[in-house]
Amino acid sequence: PNGAAWYQMRIKDNTTTDLTPDQIHALGLQEVARIQALFAELGPQLGYTGPAIDLPQWVANESKFKSFQSDTEILNAYRQIDAQVQSKLPALFSLLPKGKLELQLEPELSRATASDHYTPPSADGTHPGIFWPVVNDAKQYSRVGMVTLFLHEGQPGHHLHAALLKEIDLPKFRKFNTENLNSAAFTEGWALYSETLGQELGLYRNNPEAYFGHLKDELMRATRLVVDTGIHAKGWTREEAMLTMQKNLGYSEERAKNQIERYMVLPAQALS
């Protein structure tokens, strides 16, 4: 009962906008087309000459993008990205946190089911912020998404946001920020914006692998707009939504199922 109105409320809560499901669906389709047009230009730089829509699947299957032999090599590669970013942040930001960022791989106990994530520093400064990349098999770990992932989960993404909250004179409910108090659009919106700063930081320039990783993550967000509204406002089946993710992103059936079932039980969260 009142499902359409309830979904519209969930959109407002998660995005802070008054956009309708039809408007969001159309925006998603528009963004998918824009990014796939960029794939058509980028593909040849990666050595690919096929249809733009198949580029993500091709990259996922190409062994040349998987050059790591150990977890330590991956961690060191992230530390090199961190060093590059740190050297350039003062040119973009006048206010940087005192709290440090550390990089640690997701522990073996939880890595099979975990997602890449970030934990904020402690308020008293005794514990740093930590970026936790998830590596299940170092030899199958692709380089292409590392830069954009670091910019999102590390700095200037979640770390600049969360660490500064602890250091600025703010009420405690703001310092100890959670998505229950600050909408996902606020928290994730900053991290998504931070990914785009790879251009200004010079990390995507002359680096088609890293730029592809950035565009693929943008395509994932655009596809989410399409499938979430498809499921909750346009009567799509689970299978229709799964096929859209598989077609656009090169996902396996199992990965698409995992994602779509998450969106089914969390209406509008993926729109944020």
Side-chain angles (χ1 to χ4, degrees), residues 5 13 85 135 146 150 220 240 263 266:
D13 187 52
V85 171
V135 180
M146 293 178 72
F150 179 82
M220 175 182 67
E240 282 178 284
Y263 308 152
L266 294 171

Side-chain angles (χ1 to χ4, degrees), residues 79-96 147 150-151 155-156 160 194 197-207:
R79 286 175 175 149
Q80 287 176 3
I81 296 169
D82 185 23
Q84 284 181 278
V85 171
Q86 283 194 58
S87 70
K88 296 178 178 182
L89 282 181
L92 297 187
F93 297 97
S94 59
L95 182 62
L96 294 169
V147 171
F150 179 82
L151 295 174
Q155 50 193 354
L160 256 66
S194 296
L197 295 179
Q199 294 283 22
E200 291 176 64
L201 291 165
L203 299 174
Y204 300 147
R205 199 174 303 128
N206 301 319
N207 190 345

Side-chain angles (χ1 to χ4, degrees), residues 19 112 184 215:
L19 294 173
L215 290 179

Side-chain angles (χ1 to χ4, degrees), residues 108-153:
E108 188 174 353
L109 178 68
S110 52
R111 67 178 57 157
T113 54
S115 298
D116 306 289
H117 64 108
Y118 166 83
T119 51
S122 59
D124 63 4
T126 56
H127 296 287
I130 302 174
F131 165 44
W132 303 87
V134 177
V135 180
N136 284 296
D137 181 350
K139 293 182 179 179
Q140 290 301 310
Y141 196 84
S142 175
R143 300 188 306 270
V144 298
M146 293 178 72
V147 171
T148 196
L149 178 64
F150 179 82
L151 295 174
H152 182 110
E153 299 290 350

